[in-house]
Amino acid sequence: MADSTHAIISGTRRSAAVPGSGRARRVRGDAPLAAVAAAFVLAQLVLVRPGMGLGWDETVYVSQVSPHAPAAFFSAPRARGVSLLVAPIASWSSSTALLRVYLALLSGLGLYLALRAWRGLFPSGILALAGALYASLWVTLFYGPQAMPNYWVAIGALVCAGCLLRVRADGRTAGRATVRAVTRPRMRAPAGGGDRAALSGLLAGAALMAWMRPVDAVWVALPLLALALYERAWKALAALLAGLAAGAAEWVIEAYTAYGGLLQRLSDGSAIQGGLGWHFAVVDQLRSLGGRALCRPCTGALPNPVVTAWWFVLPLLAAAGLVLAVRARRTRPTLVALACAATAAFPYLFLIGYAAPRFLLPAYALLAVPVADALAHLVRTPAGNWRPLALSLTALGLAVHLGAQYAVLAHTVDRTTADRIAWDRTAAELHRLGVRPPCLLTGESAIPIAFYTGCGSAATSGNNANSTREEIVRTARRIPAAALTTAQGSPPDYARSWTPHRLGDLRLYVAPSAQ
């Protein structure tokens, strides 16, 4: 009996957990992720500069909640997630710098939480490297502090994919623990807290994606929906569908109240995007990598091969990551990341006839995980004299890549800042000419310049048509108004008698009501 008792006591001691050891491991695992997120925030504040003015699309989103100017026309493809995201700052402050700092901090927090959703599926070092690779792309740094939706779709996609995988992993772990508890009654089965947290994260990630861009959310979620159905993961499926429905609810309701129904809104959105259909936009996306915020029409020479080389290496490393995952017995998370990246990228590579580098941010975020896995393997696996060579080549490749990314970012920030300074200068000139709030602008770049001026904007044709000739004329009799054209352009017929003024590449036709 003494021997038996001693055996029981010894076994109990071996199986007992050291108090705080699990928490310490979690803290150590989270530290690299937090460091990457903090570096990402700092890089945005230093390289993108908080003082950079708002862009065209940003003025549309911000104007919906800002008291600075009337709300701009909200076209069918847009969703109000960004407007709600910026509301805590934009609803009371017109400071662009404050808004940029707020968004930079928020984007860093989002990156940390998204990487953390994959904890336990990959080593923390791999996840930190994945975060660093994604955060160092010029397009990620440029759009992280901007009031734009694509970065947040990427964050939601990472959270969704990671949490769905964790729901399944936790479910299998709980099942095995329950079997052990039956055969060894002294052990407790897990309480399922991890499973509940993963379900909550899955719902939140899906809601975030749909809140920002409902159609993009559906594309990203397709592999996740298929996996949940195939494995009969009903709780995960319910959480995913509930999140998509919650995020898209406002967009769907607005479709019926303001756009003539859901099908009409989808049709209008397709028309604004040039008509969805088969379009080979891969080359267009390559052209946009040189720093073009919107490549429409997408013509001209391709950027320097040093700038685009990473784009060709990306799928090769992702495929290598899949091979490694099969060997390491973590095929499922790698396949999920690759499948979601493929469906996220598909419409922007093959269904629209133009390009913008931000469109592929969700695909880049998802691909970063298997790519990081492959890179880590490249520098760890070679033995003997091959290891220093592999390490040196990888370091050289990353250094060239980072240098190219920084060069594109610096050029893009400088050009964008200059454009927005020009809008601000135009607004100041309009104020000098008597066009002050309440006021109305129409014509060339009317939407962003109207926001800078504090005016409303109107258009009688095009993607942002929201008025008629008669309405503009009536409004111009009541409040100051101006029609903007290029230096070589002609004013609309109702503005031909308005007083013209030349400012750089613009002509400002000011209505008599402003004189």
Side-chain angles (χ1 to χ4, degrees):
M1 286 293 294
D3 291 341
S4 299
T5 304
H6 178 72
I8 292 173
I9 294 174
S10 299
T12 303
R13 286 175 178 169
R14 281 195 299 270
S15 62
V18 178
S21 61
R23 179 178 297 178
R25 283 194 297 272
R26 286 195 296 271
V27 170
R28 287 196 297 271
D30 287 348
L33 309 184
V36 168
F40 177 50
V41 172
L42 182 62
Q44 291 176 72
L45 297 177
V46 172
L47 300 177
V48 182
R49 298 194 293 269
M52 185 177 67
L54 297 178
W56 186 311
D57 292 288
E58 288 185 292
T59 62
V60 174
Y61 291 120
V62 173
S63 70
Q64 308 303 309
V65 295
S66 173
H68 173 71
F73 175 70
F74 208 75
S75 61
R78 300 187 189 276
R80 297 191 181 271
V82 173
S83 299
L84 295 175
L85 185 74
V86 302
I89 300 297
S91 61
W92 60 271
S93 173
S94 61
S95 171
T96 302
L98 180 60
L99 182 62
R100 294 274 186 242
V101 172
Y102 162 75
L103 289 172
L105 292 171
L106 209 58
S107 64
L109 176 62
L111 180 63
Y112 167 73
L113 293 175
L115 294 173
R116 199 171 182 270
W118 288 73
R119 192 179 60 185
L121 302 169
F122 287 87
S124 61
I126 297 296
L127 296 177
L129 178 58
L133 291 173
Y134 177 62
S136 62
L137 294 175
W138 77 261
V139 63
T140 310
L141 284 164
F142 186 70
Y143 284 104
Q146 293 203 42
M148 296 290 282
N150 309 87
Y151 175 83
W152 296 103
V153 175
I155 293 301
L158 271 178
V159 170
C160 266
C163 286
L164 179 71
L165 290 163
R166 289 181 65 180
V167 168
R168 300 302 298 139
D170 286 342
R172 290 192 298 273
T173 301
R176 289 194 296 268
T178 302
V179 172
R180 290 196 299 268
V182 171
T183 58
R184 298 167 62 184
R186 290 181 180 273
M187 295 182 64
R188 288 185 179 180
D195 189 79
R196 287 194 296 271
L199 285 171
S200 299
L202 180 58
L203 190 151
L208 177 62
M209 288 195 298
W211 194 35
M212 294 294 168
R213 290 187 71 89
V215 177
D216 285 15
V218 173
W219 281 102
V220 172
L222 284 177
L224 304 179
L225 292 168
L227 179 62
L229 281 170
Y230 176 75
E231 297 192 340
R232 298 182 181 179
W234 306 125
K235 288 184 179 179
L237 181 62
L240 183 56
L241 290 174
L244 292 173
E250 188 279 333
W251 194 83
V252 173
I253 293 170
E254 189 179 44
Y256 288 98
T257 60
Y259 295 91
L262 181 58
L263 292 179
Q264 186 61 50
R265 186 169 196 177
L266 290 171
S267 176
D268 291 347
S270 173
I272 287 172
Q273 292 176 309
L276 296 181
W278 183 255
H279 298 282
F280 188 76
V282 175
V283 178
D284 294 344
Q285 285 291 345
L286 275 173
R287 287 193 178 97
S288 74
L289 292 178
R292 299 171 68 173
L294 183 63
C295 198
R296 187 179 188 181
C298 207
T299 57
L302 291 172
N304 189 298
V306 175
V307 172
T308 58
W310 69 274
W311 216 66
F312 296 99
V313 174
L314 193 65
L316 299 177
L317 288 174
L322 178 58
V323 173
L324 294 171
V326 173
R327 294 178 181 174
R329 296 185 178 180
R330 52 171 178 256
T331 308
R332 181 189 302 266
T334 301
L335 271 178
V336 167
L338 292 176
C340 290
T343 56
F346 180 80
Y348 292 114
L349 292 177
F350 302 109
L351 295 183
I352 64 173
Y354 65 99
R358 59 187 171 87
F359 291 163
L360 297 183
L361 278 172
Y364 298 150
L366 290 157
L367 288 174
V369 178
V371 166
D373 201 13
L375 282 176
H377 180 80
L378 283 176
V379 299
R380 282 198 312 245
T381 303
N385 294 332
W386 289 105
R387 179 171 292 179
L389 177 62
L391 184 61
S392 299
L393 289 176
T394 303
L396 177 62
L398 287 174
V400 172
H401 167 68
L402 291 175
Q405 294 298 305
Y406 171 75
V408 175
L409 178 64
H411 172 72
T412 304
V413 169
D414 289 344
R415 188 192 67 247
T416 303
T417 301
D419 290 343
R420 295 171 189 181
I421 289 174
W423 289 342
D424 192 53
R425 188 182 302 118
T426 303
E429 179 65 12
L430 286 167
H431 287 163
R432 190 186 69 81
L433 295 172
V435 183
R436 301 185 183 90
C439 49
L440 180 72
L441 297 185
T442 185
E444 181 74 17
S445 300
I447 287 179
I449 294 175
F451 181 83
Y452 279 70
T453 313
C455 299
S457 58
T460 59
S461 61
N463 294 336
N464 297 300
N466 64 340
S467 188
T468 64
R469 176 189 182 281
E470 291 71 23
E471 290 175 345
I472 292 174
V473 170
R474 282 197 302 269
T475 302
R477 294 193 186 109
R478 294 186 293 104
I479 61 175
L484 314 180
T485 71
T486 61
Q488 295 76 32
S490 300
D493 60 350
Y494 58 80
R496 287 173 184 167
S497 62
W498 295 2
T499 306
H501 301 271
R502 179 72 179 266
L503 179 65
D505 293 331
L506 288 177
R507 286 189 184 274
L508 319 177
Y509 292 84
V510 179
S513 57
Q515 304 301 315

